[in-house]
Amino acid sequence: MAPRLVHNTLRQLNLPVHSPQLKPLVTIASLIHAPATTVASPLSAPKAPLPGASLSSILQFARTQLRNATHRDVLRSGQSSFRRPPRRPNWLDSINGNVIFIGIIAINASVFLLWQGAKSTYQTTRDPTLLLFLHNNFLVNWKNITSGRVWTLITSCFSHQDIEHALFNGLSFYFMAPSVMQVLGNTRFLGLYFFGGIASSVASLVWNRFYKNEINYSSHGASGAILANIAFYACAFPRTTFLIFFVIPCPAWAFLPGILAFDVYRSVTDARTTTDTAGHVGGMLSGIGFYLWKMAIRR
């Protein structure tokens, strides 16, 4: 879903890493003002109880004061009530988060290069084999779905034909993904990413087929999956500041409804644009829904 509007460029939060193996690649200063975390320092240990203190006082000290001197909590700042719910460890969360991060970028880059090679081959040899393969397997449209190629709901989210489209989504993912991965962990991050991508594809497919009555409309791109992550993050940290067009500061609680309303308006008014705004709306709504679901299961 190739966006013309620069929604946001986000920097990675400087949050404590839940998994000791997860080491985000970069810290981009001045792109996001991350919510501060409150970490009690082990060096500032409280005073020991007096020699004449009772056994109960010593136990109370051990249970509270000593724990507070060493306990680390990623979301103590009070900016969000979101806390990563406990779960059983699994192999996916135990691997280095950079493997997933780089893997997603590598898949998108590989499919982009396939598109370039297919176009070049067709122009030079008039052989459409690879181009037809990509059209049938990496674009989401009504023909592909009715022909049984339902996997295009996912594969289209790793597909970019234009360099501008690929670079914009790549930069957005590069700045956004590590922060969300730190909050959710590998497994839930991938769940959100794929859920957002599928929801975006379905929204685009249904809207363009039944509302706009465009049977041949095709869509692709990672925008929906990335916007799902952005929406989730904005819900979890509503006081975070995003920089629109790299310069205009905007709090997350205003940015998210603003960009959502903008894309809804462009979808309904049928604005002449190459941007799949219906897919954007689907991605953002899925991110909001994912956050509300994660909030609900902790109660």
Side-chain angles (χ1 to χ4, degrees):
M1 302 72 180
R4 286 183 175 177
L5 175 67
V6 179
H7 291 305
N8 63 340
T9 303
L10 308 170
R11 84 164 170 89
Q12 171 189 331
L13 275 180
N14 186 21
L15 291 175
V17 180
H18 285 289
S19 170
Q21 293 180 323
L22 179 57
K23 297 179 180 178
L25 298 180
V26 291
T27 300
I28 306 299
S30 79
L31 294 180
I32 264 190
H33 302 293
T37 58
T38 303
V39 178
S41 172
L43 299 178
S44 58
K47 296 180 180 179
L50 297 175
S54 65
L55 178 60
S56 61
S57 299
I58 297 175
L59 293 176
Q60 178 67 19
F61 166 81
R63 285 197 302 266
T64 59
Q65 301 294 337
L66 188 60
R67 180 179 184 275
N68 289 336
T70 58
H71 183 59
R72 295 168 66 90
D73 190 340
V74 67
L75 297 175
R76 271 203 210 164
S77 64
Q79 292 214 33
S80 170
S81 60
F82 182 85
R83 295 192 178 201
R84 189 170 154 192
R87 65 181 182 275
R88 296 179 180 177
N90 59 59
W91 67 271
L92 193 56
D93 282 318
S94 66
I95 68 174
N96 193 312
N98 285 334
V99 173
I100 296 173
F101 180 79
I102 296 174
I104 292 177
I105 293 178
I107 294 172
N108 278 276
S110 298
V111 177
F112 171 76
L113 292 176
L114 281 176
W115 276 109
Q116 307 316 304
K119 292 176 181 179
S120 176
T121 299
Y122 180 71
Q123 290 173 354
T124 55
T125 67
R126 292 301 171 182
D127 181 3
T129 304
L130 182 55
L131 198 59
L132 288 175
F133 171 81
L134 292 172
H135 273 274
N136 290 336
N137 294 278
F138 287 90
L139 294 179
V140 61
N141 54 47
W142 194 251
K143 178 182 177 182
N144 282 341
I145 297 300
T146 55
S147 298
R149 294 186 286 272
V150 294
W151 54 83
T152 55
L153 293 173
I154 297 177
T155 55
S156 62
C157 302
F158 294 89
S159 177
H160 302 82
Q161 295 189 49
D162 304 321
I163 185 64
E164 297 86 357
H165 189 193
L167 283 177
F168 179 85
N169 282 342
L171 286 172
S172 299
F173 179 80
Y174 184 79
F175 294 139
M176 187 76 247
S179 301
V180 179
M181 198 180 299
Q182 283 183 312
V183 174
L184 289 176
N186 297 347
T187 302
R188 288 193 172 111
F189 168 77
L190 286 175
L192 173 60
Y193 188 87
F194 284 110
F195 177 57
I198 293 172
S200 175
S201 295
V202 171
S204 171
L205 190 70
V206 173
W207 183 263
N208 289 291
R209 172 63 181 87
F210 295 103
Y211 179 81
K212 297 174 70 175
N213 199 29
E214 295 187 11
I215 300 177
N216 298 321
Y217 190 92
S218 296
S219 184
H220 67 317
S223 303
I226 294 170
L227 283 170
N229 281 268
I230 292 173
F232 170 86
Y233 195 82
C235 290
F237 300 98
R239 296 180 186 176
T240 296
T241 299
F242 294 163
L243 294 183
I244 306 174
F245 298 113
F246 304 96
V247 293
I248 305 173
C250 182
W253 60 263
F255 172 83
L256 180 60
I259 201 65
L260 180 60
F262 180 75
D263 277 331
V264 168
Y265 172 78
R266 291 205 301 173
S267 297
V268 173
T269 57
D270 193 26
R272 297 301 174 185
T273 174
T274 59
T275 303
D276 186 0
T277 52
H280 286 184
V281 172
M284 283 184 277
L285 291 179
S286 67
I288 296 171
F290 192 90
Y291 171 79
L292 294 175
W293 176 56
K294 288 302 176 186
M295 288 290 292
I297 64 175
R298 293 200 310 278
R299 295 192 178 100

